[in-house]
Amino acid sequence: MGLGTMGSQFASVFLMAGHDVLGYEPNDSQWARAQKQIRQGLLTLGNERIEQTFTHGFRRTTRLEDVQHVEFVLEAVPEKLDLKQRLHQSVSRLNPNAILATNTSAFRIVDVFAFTEGPHRVIGTHWFNPPHLVPGVEVILSEKTSVYTREIVMRLLRELGKEPVLVEDSPGFVINRLQMALVNEAVRCVEEKVVSPNEMDILVRATLGFRLAQFGPLSVADWAGLDIYKSIFEYLKEHLGSRFDCPQMLNDMVDRGELGIKTRRGFFQYTGDFETLLSNRDKSLRKQGQVWSHGGESYDEPK
């Protein structure tokens, strides 16, 4: 439901996996753009028979009633809560059996499906742009989502080549909370003239982005030392304000002597000798360095 930037590429992913796709898009101008985006998505994914795949596997509809025969509904309409609520309420009445998924990036699942019939079959699947290329998907359950619905959707996403991760039904879920915090601080740095926008993006790509491609932020923290992170939080709070309060969980871990790699316990537990752990880390980062040197392109200063 909805063939904008995200919905069009959802269609590409499902078509590429051999599924029949029905796209609900009542706006003709958006439909004109969507056709190009779907074909481009198939091309990017390596489809060698784009027209055949598109013609035989995809059908557009402007009638919501047509959803009564589908098995899985993935909604990707604009982030307007009342719009999502009305659509899911209508679809749930038209089709009492389909699994209903929303791609909302911020609204709580319980709110999106507040008026939906059959709450056992609702679920959140938060994909990331560009969804045909980014593997991760946040999967969010409501309090009434059934085990069957959860397992079917997790299996479906894996079959599509995605990496689904279950997260709690919290505003913004996980990645948008991280992303908004990063963007917030990045804008502050530019606003305070600490760095230019161009240099900001180069710096993040070459440091945080480089490491995060192989290790998540908690693994990176374990390697740095959680006591070091606590000290940095305290210094930043003193000079930049309470937005840098050290999380209580981190304080407690440091108090217990759980400092990361150097104590073999932090956010994760580590076994084996330090030299082996270090060697494995460096091999992963060296691999990422090869990707960087062969595939990365530097930004030119914007004109």
Side-chain angles (χ1 to χ4, degrees):
M1 291 197 296
L3 293 175
T5 299
M6 298 296 283
S8 296
Q9 300 307 347
F10 293 159
S12 300
V13 173
F14 280 92
L15 287 170
M16 195 70 181
H19 293 281
D20 292 323
V21 179
L22 175 69
Y24 171 72
E25 179 51 70
N27 186 295
D28 288 335
S29 60
Q30 181 56 54
W31 166 236
R33 290 190 294 271
Q35 294 178 73
K36 297 176 182 178
Q37 290 175 320
I38 295 170
R39 288 185 171 91
Q40 181 59 48
L42 290 171
L43 176 65
T44 300
L45 292 172
N47 190 296
E48 298 178 352
R49 303 164 70 180
I50 294 173
E51 287 308 314
Q52 182 176 353
T53 301
F54 183 78
T55 302
H56 292 285
F58 186 88
R59 180 167 69 92
R60 178 222 182 180
T61 183
T62 60
R63 299 175 64 253
L64 201 57
E65 292 79 6
D66 288 340
V67 303
Q68 59 189 306
H69 301 300
V70 305
E71 296 176 292
F72 179 74
V73 175
L74 178 52
E75 168 265 307
V77 301
E79 284 289 273
K80 297 178 180 179
L81 183 58
D82 59 340
L83 172 61
K84 292 178 182 288
Q85 289 174 333
R86 290 198 309 270
L87 278 174
H88 284 292
Q89 182 180 38
S90 298
V91 170
S92 68
R93 291 173 177 172
L94 290 165
N95 187 328
N97 300 310
I99 290 175
L100 308 179
T102 177
N103 183 57
T104 181
S105 59
F107 298 134
R108 294 181 63 212
I109 303 306
V110 67
D111 294 331
V112 172
F113 294 107
F115 308 110
T116 301
E117 296 183 7
H120 63 282
R121 58 196 176 110
V122 307
I123 197 165
T125 59
H126 180 209
W127 304 48
F128 298 87
N129 194 27
H132 56 311
L133 299 177
V134 179
V137 179
E138 291 178 314
V139 177
I140 311 98
L141 312 180
S142 79
E143 293 180 352
K144 298 182 179 179
T145 301
S146 70
V147 173
Y148 173 81
T149 298
R150 180 193 71 197
E151 292 306 309
I152 287 290
V153 172
M154 294 290 281
R155 187 176 71 188
L156 174 62
L157 289 169
R158 291 189 182 109
E159 289 173 352
L160 294 172
K162 298 303 175 181
E163 186 73 35
V165 177
L166 288 169
V167 303
E168 291 296 318
D169 190 10
S170 175
F173 315 128
V174 174
I175 298 304
N176 265 338
R177 288 175 62 173
L178 293 176
Q179 189 165 247
M180 292 304 106
L182 178 59
V183 170
N184 180 52
E185 206 56 42
V187 173
R188 287 178 186 271
C189 288
V190 172
E191 185 177 56
E192 295 168 9
K193 302 188 185 308
V194 177
V195 68
S196 72
N198 186 64
E199 298 303 314
M200 168 64 76
D201 274 12
I202 292 175
L203 189 59
V204 171
R205 288 175 59 235
T207 58
L208 297 180
F210 180 86
R211 295 188 305 191
L212 291 176
Q214 294 291 329
F215 299 97
L218 301 184
S219 293
V220 171
D222 272 356
W223 272 100
L226 303 188
D227 52 334
I228 303 300
Y229 268 41
K230 178 181 178 181
S231 296
I232 293 172
F233 271 117
E234 291 172 348
Y235 179 81
L236 292 178
K237 178 182 178 180
E238 178 184 354
H239 292 275
L240 297 176
S242 60
R243 69 181 185 275
F244 287 102
D245 277 335
C246 185
Q248 188 58 48
M249 181 180 182
L250 183 57
N251 276 320
D252 293 343
M253 293 172 71
V254 172
D255 290 344
R256 292 194 300 266
E258 299 171 2
L259 308 182
I261 286 285
K262 55 190 172 186
T263 60
R264 298 298 190 274
R265 181 186 291 271
F267 288 104
F268 306 97
Q269 294 187 46
Y270 302 88
T271 58
D273 61 273
F274 179 79
E275 288 72 20
T276 300
L277 292 170
L278 183 65
S279 176
N280 290 337
R281 183 204 66 176
D282 288 354
K283 285 178 182 177
S284 295
L285 290 177
R286 184 169 182 270
K287 178 182 177 182
Q288 181 60 24
Q290 292 170 340
V291 173
W292 175 270
S293 62
H294 289 98
E297 295 182 2
S298 297
Y299 289 141
D300 293 325
E301 190 71 35
K303 301 295 189 292

